[in-house]
Amino acid sequence: MGLFSVIGMQQAWLLTIVPIFGFLIVALFGKRIPRQGDWIIAAVGIFCLFASISIIADFQSFFHGHGFEPNGANVLSFEWINIPNYLLIEYSTFVDSITIVMLFVVSLVGLMVVIYSIGYMQGEVRYHWYFSLLAFFLAAMFTLVTTGNLLQLYLAWEAVGLGSYLLIGFYWEKQSAAEAAKKAFITTRIGDVGLLIGILLLWRASGTFDIQTIIGLAEASYFDSTYLTISMIFLFFGAVGKSAQFPLHVWLPDAMEGPTPVSALIHAATMVVAGVYLVSRMLPIYELIPVAQNLILIIGLITALLAATMGLVSQDIKRVLAYSTVSQLGYMFVALGVGSLSAAMFHLFTHAFFKALLFLGSGSVIHATHKQEISSLGALKNKMPITFLTFTIGALSLAGIPPLAGFWSKDEILLYTGEFGSVFYGLLLFAALLTAIYSTRLVIMIFFGKPKDSEAYEHAHESPKIMNIPLIILAIFATVSGFFIFPFVGQLFGFDDGFMGIVYLYHPHVFHLEFTTMITAISISLLGVLLGYFYWFYEDGRRANNASKWAPEIYNLFLNKYYIDNFYQAFINKFVLGLASIIAWFDDKIVNRSGIDGSAQILNYVGYRLKFLQTGKIPNYVLMMSVGILLFSFILLINY
C-alpha cells in the first residue's frame, strides 16, 4: 500500500486537509495551471478513495467476532478553544461502522463525478472554479462524516450547504439557477436553525459537544426526558432540511439547475444523505424517545409517498430523478423510524451508486441531445447503447428488480417496516409500486418509441469514454453492491459477516431470506414495471395521456406538487412580506424619524429657540434675573 499503509482511523483528518489544499490551489491559480487544474482535483479524488479504503482496512483489523474493539484507535482529538469552567471545543475525528460506509460512498462517487466532469464540463466558463468547488465540497463532507463532536459537525454542515449553494448557482447568469441556489440555501437554513438550537440545548445540559459522551449521558438518564425530547426534535429539523424531507423538500427539485454531475454528487449520494447520517449517528438517543422516533417514521413515510407521486408526472428528466431521491430518502427515514440502522445505512449505500448512475446517465443524454424534457426524447437506445444499458441498470435497481442492488436494500426496509405495523408496510409498498412505474416510464420515454424531436435525435451520439467509464463502474456497483448483505461476501473482504452484521446499533442483524416479504416486494416491483410498460410503451404513451385526462384533478395535483410551493409563495407574499412592510414602516416612521431623527431635531429646535435669549443687552439680562429671583422667592414662600 506504500503511503496508504500509514493512513489509519486516526489519520481521517487527511480527508479534510488534502481536498482543502486542492481547493485553494485550483481556486487561486487554476487559470495558470495546465488544463486549469482539473487533474489536481482528480488526483485529490484518487487520494481520498485510496485513503478511505485504507481507513476501512484499519477498521477491519479491529473488527472481530461481530464486534468492534478499537481501544481508542478510532478517535483523535485535541483542544481547539478552552475557556476554563465554561467552554471546551475540540477538533476530533471518530470512525466506526457508520463512518466507513459514508467514507466509501463519498470517495467513490466523488471520484466518479470528478472524472465524468472532465468530459461533461469541457469548454465551460469558470472551469477551474467548478473543480475547486468540488474539492471544497468533498472536504466539507468528509469533515461532517468523520467528526466526533456536534459543534464541528455543525460547521461542516454549514460548509456543505455553502458548497451546494455555489454549485447549484454555478450558472449564476441564468436567473433560474440563481433563484434555485437561493431557494436551496434559505430552505435548508430553516432546518439548520433547528439543528443549532438542538446542539446548544444538548451542550447546555451536558456541558460537552462530544457525541459519544452525550449518547452515554442520555442512556444513563442524565437528561430530563422532556428536555431531551425537545432537543432531539430540534436536531431532527436539521436533518429534514438537509435531506429534503416534507415539508422542506421543495428545494431539491429546483436544485437541478446546477450542472448534472453536481446533481449526482450532492443531490443523490452525499449532501442529501447528511440528514440520514445525522439521525443514524444519534439513533441511540432517538431510540429512547418514542415521540421523536415516531415523528421520523411519519415524516419519512409522507415524503416517500408524496415524492413518488410527483415523480410519476414530471417531464424533466433530472426532476424525475430528484423526486426519486426525495422518495428514497424517505425510505431511509422510515427504516430509522422503525429502529433499523442497518437497513437505513444499507439503502443509503446501494442508493448512492444507482442514483449517481442515473444522474450521470441523464447528463449523458442531455450532453448528447441538449434536451431535458423527456417528451422531446425517444428512440435513443441504438444511438447511445452504453448510456442506454447503464441507465437501464440504474432504473431497474431503483425499481427494486432482483438481483440488482436496490432490491436487496429496499427489501430489508420493507421487512422491518412490516414487523412494525401493517399500515406503514402497505403504504411503503404503494410507494415502491409508484417507484417502479416512474422508473419504467423514464426508460421507455427516453430510449424507446419514436423520436419526438428529429433535431435532437439526429444530434444524439454516445458520450466520450471519459464520461462512459464512470457510468460503467457505477453500473457494476449498482448491480453487485446489494450482495454485500450476504455473509460470504463480507468474509471475502475479511469481515465475519455481511453488511447487516457490520453496521448495526446494538446487535448484529442475522441475515436470512424472508420469502413472504421477498416475493411481495418482487411482485410489487414487477407489477410497477408492467404498468409502466402498458401505459407508456404502446402508441407513444397514448394510454398514459388518456389516464391523465380521466382524472385531471389528480394529475394536476401531482403536476403542481400538491401546490405546496404555491402555498409557500402565498405565505411569503401575504404574511412574511406584509409583516416585513409593517416592521419597515415602524422602523422608518417610529424608530428612525421619530426616535432617532426626532430626538435630534427636538434638540436642534430647542437650541434654535434658546439662542434668541442671548441678545447682548444688559437691561434684558437684568429683567430675566429679576423674574428668576421673584419666581425663586415665590417658591420659597409657598414651601415655607
Side-chain angles (χ1 to χ4, degrees), residues 90 327 345 575:
E90 296 180 320
S327 182
M345 292 303 297
F575 180 76

Side-chain angles (χ1 to χ4, degrees), residues 455-503:
E455 183 180 348
Y457 179 77
E458 293 300 325
H459 190 266
H461 57 85
E462 188 57 88
S463 299
K465 288 182 180 179
I466 197 156
M467 292 171 61
N468 282 334
I469 289 173
L471 291 178
I472 294 169
I473 293 173
L474 288 170
I476 292 171
F477 276 93
T479 303
V480 304
S481 60
F483 296 132
F484 280 84
I485 198 171
F486 292 101
F488 75 88
V489 176
Q491 291 164 9
L492 290 175
F493 290 91
F495 292 96
D496 295 327
D497 207 337
F499 191 98
M500 311 296 279
I502 300 170
V503 185

Side-chain angles (χ1 to χ4, degrees), residues 462-592:
E462 188 57 88
S463 299
K465 288 182 180 179
I466 197 156
M467 292 171 61
N468 282 334
I469 289 173
L471 291 178
I472 294 169
I473 293 173
L474 288 170
I476 292 171
F477 276 93
T479 303
V480 304
S481 60
F483 296 132
F484 280 84
I485 198 171
F486 292 101
F488 75 88
V489 176
Q491 291 164 9
L492 290 175
F493 290 91
F495 292 96
D496 295 327
D497 207 337
F499 191 98
M500 311 296 279
I502 300 170
V503 185
Y504 55 85
L505 187 56
Y506 298 115
H507 305 288
H509 290 243
V510 178
F511 174 71
H512 63 279
L513 296 175
E514 214 290 323
F515 287 103
T516 302
T517 304
M518 183 179 293
I519 292 172
T520 302
I522 294 173
S523 301
I524 288 293
S525 296
L526 290 177
L527 176 61
V529 171
L530 289 174
L531 286 173
Y533 181 84
F534 177 80
Y535 278 100
W536 280 279
F537 189 78
Y538 292 107
E539 300 176 346
D540 287 330
R542 183 176 297 176
R543 288 173 177 168
N545 291 331
N546 292 336
S548 66
K549 294 175 183 177
W550 173 74
E553 297 83 3
I554 297 176
Y555 178 81
N556 289 328
L557 184 67
F558 295 167
L559 191 64
N560 289 286
K561 300 166 284 188
Y562 293 87
Y563 301 97
I564 295 173
D565 285 83
N566 304 68
F567 170 77
Y568 286 159
Q569 192 62 57
F571 178 77
I572 291 170
N573 293 341
K574 302 296 184 182
F575 180 76
V576 176
L577 295 181
L579 181 62
S581 64
I582 294 173
I583 294 173
W585 178 88
F586 182 83
D587 181 64
D588 179 52
K589 303 296 185 182
I590 306 301
V591 177
N592 285 338

